Amino acid sequence: MPSSSASFIRAKLPSLTGLRFIAAALVFFFHSSLIFISMNPFADRGVADGYRWLFSKAGWMGVSFFFVLSGFVLTWSARPGDTVTGFWRRRLLKIFPNHVATWALAMLLFAGAATPVRVWLPNLLLVHSWFPDPAVHLSLNAPAWSLCSELLFYLLFPFLLRPVLRIKEGALWLWAAAMVAGMLAVQLITDFLAPASPPAPGTDVTVWQFWFGYNFPPVRMFEFVLGMILARLVLAGAFPRVGIVPAAVLCLAGYAASMAVPFLYGLNLTTIAPIALLICATAHADTHGTPTVLRGRAMRWLGEVSFGFYLAQQLVLSFVRTTLMDNRTVSTPAGIGLVAVEFAGSLALGWLLLVCVERPVMRRWARSRRGTTEPAEPSATPQRLTAAS
């Protein structure tokens, strides 16, 4: 790592915080558009199908963004000022309290008493995405499946950081390409070597294909490690300078491509390069003090709420559509209003999780009992590191 990276490693990335909310919103609109589980509120079939089609890949793109961003931010802010156990403590405290709160709410709202222990226990422990049975890996609060992958990322990060930091600057692009090649290999294996299984509802693939190609935590490691390598590239000044707007336009192009290619290859392959470009362009803008809409007070607040919003949105959608409305559909104007109310409700519940659960827990237990000092260089050993809270 070059010596200049010391100043960058301490730089805040407020625009990336704002960008997180846009990714979480994509997941919301994807879920609210689903027809096969009656989340789509529109009675007009043409409108319902159009809404579903427009956001049919939005969830995949939002989750892929989160996985790449995790690797990027953790590497960006790593320093040898804390122990591995301290890092693990902070990351577990970051995700588990909100998860447990939404897990308990799902159990309370959606007949938790009838949910067998083989389903709710893996969900509670965030290991349910390791099970190919969709009744397990998509159980209770469905978006929590991605936390199984995040948990794996956090557990392995201390042991991945040192090898990533040792990659020679000239080889970083090769390793980034290798991560994308690994993603392609996963989908080729999924496409051609998947065992027979029933069709996955709402998709063009089988249950096993969808689980292995999308939900199985180890296969998402490629995106996380790519994010780590991207942070190295930006810190080294080796990533080409691209504006946020052109990068966003390329994200739209990648999204359009994901709707045209076969299902498995549209899960994350067509959008991974644009996502990488957008994250790096946004980080570059922040490190150079370039004004962006994303770093405004409102967007930063939304970004801080985004984790709670992400975990809350499926609960709000399911409660409104199945409990309050008994899966009834409504006129187009009423449907638009209903989606807006669901969005606002998800945002409100996400804010409550932030102020009543996440922040109090982090303030009380996340800080180390002994002071640490930030080093001059962003190097790390396998025994000492930290991450952004």
Side-chain angles (χ1 to χ4, degrees), residues 336-355:
I336 294 173
L338 181 62
V339 171
V341 169
E342 292 168 335
F343 189 91
S346 302
L347 192 60
L349 184 53
W351 174 76
L352 286 174
L353 288 169
L354 175 67
V355 299

Side-chain angles (χ1 to χ4, degrees), residues 95-96 99 121-130 144 147-148 151:
I95 64 172
F96 261 100
H99 163 63
L121 184 58
N123 193 295
L124 176 62
L125 299 178
L126 288 181
V127 295
H128 55 295
S129 274
W130 294 82
L147 299 187
C148 300
L151 184 59

Side-chain angles (χ1 to χ4, degrees), residues 213-229:
Y214 189 71
N215 294 106
F216 188 43
V219 304
R220 307 312 296 259
M221 286 296 303
F222 291 109
E223 289 150 287
F224 178 74
V225 177
L226 175 62
M228 297 178 69
I229 296 169

Side-chain angles (χ1 to χ4, degrees), residues 253-313:
Y255 185 82
S258 72
M259 301 172 77
V261 300
F263 183 88
L264 289 171
Y265 304 95
L267 290 173
N268 53 15
L269 277 171
T270 62
T271 56
I272 190 61
I275 286 173
L277 190 63
L278 180 60
I279 289 174
C280 292
T282 305
H284 189 277
D286 278 344
T287 57
H288 287 77
T290 305
T292 71
V293 174
L294 295 168
R295 68 190 303 173
R297 181 177 298 179
M299 286 303 301
R300 283 188 285 116
W301 181 85
L302 289 170
E304 291 172 356
V305 175
S306 63
F307 179 48
F309 172 85
Y310 173 80
L311 286 180
Q313 40 96 19

